Amino acid sequence: MSTKGQAEPHPPPELAQLTVLSRPVHGHAESLPNQVLGYRHRHAWIQFAYAAEGVLEVRTDAGRFVAPPQRGVWIPAGVAHRVVCAERTCVRSLYIGDAAQLAAPSRCRVLEVSPLLRELIRTFSSVPVNYAPGSADERLAVVLLDQLASAREVDLILPMPADLQLRQLCRSVQARPSHRIHLSVWSERFGVSEKTLSRRFLRETGLTYRVWDMRMRLLSALPGLERGERVTDVALACGYDSLSAFISAFAKLFDATPGEFFDRAAPQRKSADG
């Protein structure tokens, strides 16, 4: 995914003025402005960022968390992050306070957004911050939290190493996904054996360099595919010289071909926008 995408907008005025959330959940719908706000920030509460349309990506020190349609990113309180989105992305964010007391891991995660959860998010995005206790809005919040707690985690994560040399490697590879660089090139550059570098990479990321590199290219392909670009063009831009190889790798990671994956998302985007 290009770093030239759009970044997360400032929180809505009523949210920016708060130090604590007065209710367990606050919903917010926002179409991103046509400008980049390239800054890292953190919230005093949990954020769940869902793209009703487009592809969003949350970047933290731990890695990249990519959410095409049907997915959302859970960002724990206090985690420094940046949200980068493809053009035309419509983000619906939920802000969840400590009062919700969800038993959730204290790490970023990509979660599957079911049709029911999608409609709950869409509806809740128009609910005022201080909805009345005991009201229908509060009951909706309870159901929403329950659905979030049971949402399935999906492996759309590109872990980043803490090792400075390996981070340099990863950043360089991500900047040019169309160029394949064998690990031996990096081992020579860093003055270590390929075997040693391979072990360090696996220890730092939990993935082999080959698997990490393939996942990076496939995740980078999502914005172009979501925009309707030709699959052949996207495959070439991500370093694949064979369309069949790209489709096969895509299907292994996403359990669907590119066409099937985004065909499934189309009805959901229409419903979310309607």
Side-chain angles (χ1 to χ4, degrees), residues 157-169:
I157 301 167
L158 189 70
M160 288 292 287
D163 180 279
L164 293 180
Q165 282 189 329
L166 294 181
R167 287 184 80 87
Q168 176 189 346
L169 182 162

Side-chain angles (χ1 to χ4, degrees), residues 83-271:
V83 181
V84 178
C85 304
E87 294 179 1
R88 302 179 295 102
T89 299
C90 178
V91 177
R92 300 189 188 278
S93 288
L94 299 174
Y95 301 94
I96 303 168
D98 292 337
Q101 297 180 339
L102 292 178
S106 57
R107 56 180 172 80
C108 283
R109 299 175 293 147
V110 181
L111 302 180
E112 190 174 72
V113 176
S114 68
L116 174 57
L117 180 54
R118 182 193 69 242
E119 292 304 317
L120 288 168
I121 293 171
R122 182 187 66 81
T123 302
F124 201 78
S125 66
S126 61
V127 170
V129 175
N130 293 314
Y131 46 86
S135 66
D137 290 335
E138 184 178 65
R139 293 192 294 272
L140 179 64
V142 172
V143 176
L144 177 55
L145 290 172
D146 181 69
Q147 288 296 305
L148 274 174
S150 61
R152 186 173 71 93
E153 184 172 354
V154 292
D155 198 12
L156 295 179
I157 301 167
L158 189 70
M160 288 292 287
D163 180 279
L164 293 180
Q165 282 189 329
L166 294 181
R167 287 184 80 87
Q168 176 189 346
L169 182 162
C170 291
R171 287 169 178 160
S172 180
V173 172
Q174 290 178 95
R176 304 179 73 185
S178 61
H179 290 67
R180 288 184 176 274
I181 304 177
H182 194 271
L183 192 61
S184 60
V185 176
W186 292 103
S187 67
E188 183 176 352
R189 183 177 300 179
F190 295 148
V192 298
S193 70
E194 184 178 342
K195 188 173 183 179
T196 296
L197 190 60
S198 179
R199 286 176 175 171
R200 280 170 55 189
F201 197 94
L202 178 61
R203 183 174 64 248
E204 289 271 334
T205 67
L207 301 174
T208 65
Y209 174 73
R210 179 177 175 276
V211 171
W212 185 96
D213 181 68
M214 180 182 69
R215 184 180 296 188
M216 180 275 297
R217 297 178 193 284
L218 294 173
L219 292 177
S220 297
L222 291 177
L225 293 172
E226 200 276 338
R227 289 193 298 268
E229 296 177 9
R230 291 199 320 152
V231 178
T232 300
D233 294 337
V234 173
L236 290 172
C238 293
Y240 284 86
D241 53 11
S242 165
L243 179 59
S244 60
F246 173 76
I247 293 176
S248 175
F250 190 97
K252 287 180 181 178
L253 181 61
F254 297 105
D255 197 29
T257 66
E260 291 169 343
F261 185 85
F262 286 100
D263 281 347
R264 294 174 186 174
Q268 296 200 21
R269 291 200 299 272
K270 182 178 180 181
S271 174

